[in-house]
Amino acid sequence: MSHSDDHPQPRTFAAAPPLAGTTGVPGDKSISHRALMLSALAVGESRVEGLLEGEDVLATAAAMRAMGAQIERDDDGTWHVHGVGVGGLLQPRQAIDMGNSGTSTRLLMGLVASHDLTVTFTGDASLSRRPMGRVIDPLTQMGASFTTSPGGTLPLTMRGLCPAVPIDYRLPVASAQVKSAILLAGLNAPGITRVVEPVPTRDHSERMLKGFGAELTVEVEADGTRIITLAGEAELKPQQIVVPGDPSSAAFPMVAALLVPGSRVTIANVGLNATRAGLIDLLREMGGAIEVTNAREVGGEPVGDLVVTASALNGVEPDPARAPAMIDEYPVAFIAAALAQGRSVFRGLEELRVKESDRIATMAAGLRAIGVPVEELEDGLIIEGSGGAPLAGGGPIAARLDHRIAMSFAVAGLVSRDGVTIDDMRPVATSFPGFVALLKRLGAFG
Ligand code: S3P
């Protein structure tokens, strides 16, 4: 999908007065993609409330429409999806443009793999650099075939196989996208598909598949390895889904409220699934005052309100084992570390090099540009914190088509002496429409 405006939109974020007030954040991106995909495979009408209406999720909606689902939004923001049934996806008439969205691409490749369809996937410059081999390998074992651009990247064309071959697959990388692609392919394969996950990753697919009536079990071994078993040729029943606020979006106002002196902010209705809540644990370890109130369950997911009070933070050396539970939150965690007292050492993060940008290199360059002493490692960063003193500021920071880089440096600007300029804020629309308006409501612009 192309950005609405063809010109970069630079913006400068300057030192903020104390942030205050209560806000929500848009719906969870991971859950929104899955809600549309599974609803499109159920027979009958599903309803989705709180869907993230960001470009990535809209790319998923367009793709599911192109393959036969009817998807509409009514005026009060509820989405209505009439599915085609498992095995019922139709041949799209043209290439499917996935924009910036790796999750849409990899999960849809799973869906297509077990249908008798030939589908071409394209994407923007960022997505076209990202590795697809990690899903191509297991989906090839299931019978799909692929023609890719050099290095196993987009644009690529795949041909699915029906009936596909159910597989037993041990994940070589900790990736919820790879796990989900295999499970989605397994939905329409005869027999049992098994995914073995040595390091647990976000489990929204498992929860939602069960919610839609698939026969799925999860066994946890003594060492934490998870074995997910799915019975194929499933029949999915339509559901009413309520999507919680995205913890990966809440991360930005949360860190901003911790860093801007005198702030106190409540972020309501945030998803608190343990496979996603690693940043809250990390910030608390650093000394951040984050309280969870009103803990409850919504649509099979734990949810709560976060009350965040500005705090002096200390440097950390987080255990790399926590990476999957906060994989998308490292950029903004690096900003928190830049304001902490002392040194932070982040390691074991090689996956960050293949996100929407190379987040280790992009963050190292941006931090240096705003006066933060930083050392780039192959698998992480070493950051010397300012001990709470404002960052120098500067820029323009190259966001490199990466929404989370742009938002992280916006937060840095709020605690800078000279302001931080981001070269292009358009990518923020992929996951967090209304990000700047939310900062304004909290008082960030005075
Ligand atoms: C996601 C999984 C993660 C994450 C991405 C969303 C998902 O990617 O970074 O933003 O919805 O399954 P990996 O599976 O590549 O770690």
Side-chain angles (χ1 to χ4, degrees):
M1 195 176 305
S2 59
H3 290 290
S4 37
D5 183 336
D6 283 340
H7 301 287
Q9 288 171 9
R11 187 174 176 117
T12 301
F13 293 83
L19 307 181
T22 298
T23 182
V25 286
D28 188 281
K29 182 151 77 74
S30 294
I31 295 175
S32 294
H33 285 303
R34 288 155 172 85
L36 289 177
M37 289 182 197
L38 293 188
S39 297
L41 293 178
V43 180
E45 184 187 293
S46 293
R47 288 177 196 195
V48 189
E49 272 173 53
L51 189 86
L52 168 63
E53 296 175 354
E55 289 172 358
D56 281 11
V57 174
L58 298 179
T60 290
M64 298 318 294
R65 281 194 193 108
M67 292 194 280
Q70 279 176 37
I71 305 180
E72 276 142 35
R73 177 194 195 275
D74 66 25
D75 291 342
D76 71 6
T78 303
W79 288 70
H80 301 259
V81 183
H82 289 264
V84 293
V86 169
L89 293 179
L90 303 178
Q91 174 66 44
R93 266 179 291 190
Q94 51 207 22
I96 300 189
D97 181 357
M98 305 281 49
N100 190 256
S101 182
T103 309
S104 311
T105 308
R106 295 189 177 122
L107 270 55
L108 286 171
M109 285 168 69
L111 280 183
V112 169
S114 55
H115 283 76
D116 184 15
L117 305 175
T118 300
V119 178
T120 298
F121 292 100
T122 63
D124 72 4
S126 152
L127 183 57
S128 301
R129 280 191 291 269
R130 300 182 66 185
M132 296 298 148
R134 54 182 62 197
V135 278
I136 291 174
D137 289 348
L139 298 178
T140 300
Q141 290 179 29
M142 297 182 85
S145 46
F146 296 84
T147 312
T148 74
S149 299
T153 57
L154 263 51
L156 69 75
T157 299
M158 67 179 290
R159 179 162 189 88
L161 178 70
C162 187
V165 184
I167 57 169
D168 195 329
Y169 194 78
R170 189 180 174 88
L171 292 179
V173 274
S175 167
Q177 293 178 355
V178 178
K179 168 177 67 176
S180 302
I182 299 165
L183 293 174
L184 291 175
L187 269 182
N188 193 40
I192 300 291
T193 294
R194 248 168 48 112
V195 183
V196 178
E197 187 176 51
V199 183
T201 65
R202 66 190 68 195
D203 63 355
H204 307 301
S205 296
E206 295 91 307
R207 287 170 186 253
M208 205 182 285
L209 279 164
K210 274 198 225 165
F212 271 84
E215 271 178 61
L216 178 141
T217 57
V218 181
E219 231 179 284
V220 184
E221 299 195 318
D223 66 354
T225 299
R226 296 169 82 249
I227 301 170
I228 304 140
T229 307
L230 174 73
E233 298 182 315
E235 230 178 81
L236 302 186
K237 294 175 213 64
Q239 300 297 309
Q240 312 253 354
I241 298 169
V242 181
V243 180
D246 196 327
S248 299
S249 296
F252 300 103
M254 179 161 67
V255 171
L258 286 176
L259 297 183
V260 177
S263 300
R264 186 173 169 87
V265 167
T266 300
I267 312 168
N269 189 35
V270 180
L272 294 175
N273 182 315
T275 61
R276 298 286 301 283
L279 179 69
I280 297 178
D281 298 338
L282 179 76
L283 293 171
R284 282 180 172 158
E285 268 169 53
M286 294 173 79
I290 304 170
E291 213 186 305
V292 176
T293 61
N294 203 8
R296 58 203 187 273
E297 189 158 303
V298 175
E301 292 276 349
V303 166
D305 301 342
L306 304 177
V307 183
V308 187
T309 310
S311 309
L313 303 180
N314 296 308
V316 275
E317 295 198 17
D319 182 351
R322 113 171 347 136
M326 56 170 289
I327 194 68
D328 292 335
E329 285 66 79
Y330 282 100
V332 78
F334 296 156
I335 302 298
L339 272 295
Q341 176 71 49
R343 165 180 294 194
S344 293
V345 182
F346 295 91
R347 303 210 68 134
L349 303 179
E350 38 286 280
E351 270 299 300
L352 293 190
R353 293 208 179 266
V354 290
K355 294 296 180 188
E356 285 82 332
S357 68
D358 174 342
R359 286 182 174 161
I360 295 178
T362 317
M363 286 302 300
L367 286 167
R368 253 180 230 125
I370 60 171
V372 179
V374 54
E375 184 186 336
E376 181 176 341
L377 310 171
E378 203 40 55
D379 66 342
L381 287 183
I382 301 177
I383 297 170
E384 300 294 340
S386 72
L391 306 175
I397 305 295
R400 304 207 179 280
L401 292 178
D402 188 331
H403 53 138
R404 300 199 201 282
I405 298 294
M407 290 186 278
S408 298
F409 283 103
V411 171
L414 304 183
V415 281
S416 67
R417 192 189 60 209
D418 299 338
V420 171
T421 301
I422 291 100
D423 69 344
D424 190 5
M425 289 298 284
R426 288 174 302 168
V428 170
T430 61
S431 71
F432 200 157
F435 168 73
V436 172
L438 183 148
L439 290 182
K440 186 171 190 319
R441 279 200 306 280
L442 295 178
F445 310 138

